[in-house]
Amino acid sequence: VQLQASGGGLVQAGDSLRLSCAASGRTFSTLAMGWFRRAPGKEREFVARIGSSGGSTHYDDSVKDRCTISKDNSHNTVYLQMNSLKPEDTAVYFCPAGTRTGIRSSRYDYWGQGTLVTVSS
């Protein structure tokens, strides 16, 4: 499975961004997806996850009121809509995939390159 995240950029605090992750190489509808991020000098952390059908979602407390994860099986893409961005959201965002889902990175089988989000104050 190949994964390509995109949509990152430099924004100001309070702005919104929509990250996208395009997948190929396996039937997308069988894959659960997640979003993780790694801030400068910090460990990679869970952001959100979604089940293979797109019907089950879960968010980290730090983003649950500001972010929405969605999955478009017809376009082999998962999205992360982020609103009211804060400087502490600055990180490289990754979109792993796998047959299992969860908040631990070890639950996912496939990882691609991330996309950088920088939020200025």
Side-chain angles (χ1 to χ4, degrees), residues 26-116:
R26 178 170 175 154
T27 304
F28 187 68
S29 61
T30 68
L31 293 172
M33 305 288 294
W35 284 98
F36 284 69
R37 65 186 180 186
R38 180 185 287 123
K42 295 187 177 181
E43 296 292 319
R44 185 168 56 190
E45 64 179 11
F46 168 77
V47 177
R49 65 170 176 85
I50 190 165
S52 59
S53 66
S56 174
T57 61
H58 179 69
Y59 301 88
D60 184 78
D61 287 345
S62 65
V63 303
K64 67 179 180 179
D65 296 326
R66 301 184 293 119
C67 290
T68 302
I69 187 171
S70 58
K71 189 172 187 274
D72 185 345
N73 286 335
S74 64
H75 290 92
N76 291 359
T77 304
V78 64
Y79 303 97
L80 183 68
Q81 176 68 42
M82 301 191 298
N83 302 321
S84 302
L85 282 162
K86 305 174 181 180
E88 50 264 44
D89 293 319
T90 294
V92 177
Y93 285 73
F94 302 88
C95 57
T99 56
R100 305 175 300 174
T101 186
I103 65 173
R104 291 180 293 180
S105 58
S106 59
R107 297 285 290 180
Y108 298 87
D109 304 307
Y110 310 102
W111 294 77
Q113 292 185 335
T115 185
L116 175 62

Side-chain angles (χ1 to χ4, degrees), residues 1-43:
V1 176
Q2 292 76 48
L3 299 163
Q4 182 63 58
S6 62
L10 174 62
V11 298
Q12 293 186 333
D15 285 351
S16 298
L17 271 179
R18 188 177 77 159
L19 305 183
S20 301
C21 179
S24 61
R26 178 170 175 154
T27 304
F28 187 68
S29 61
T30 68
L31 293 172
M33 305 288 294
W35 284 98
F36 284 69
R37 65 186 180 186
R38 180 185 287 123
K42 295 187 177 181
E43 296 292 319

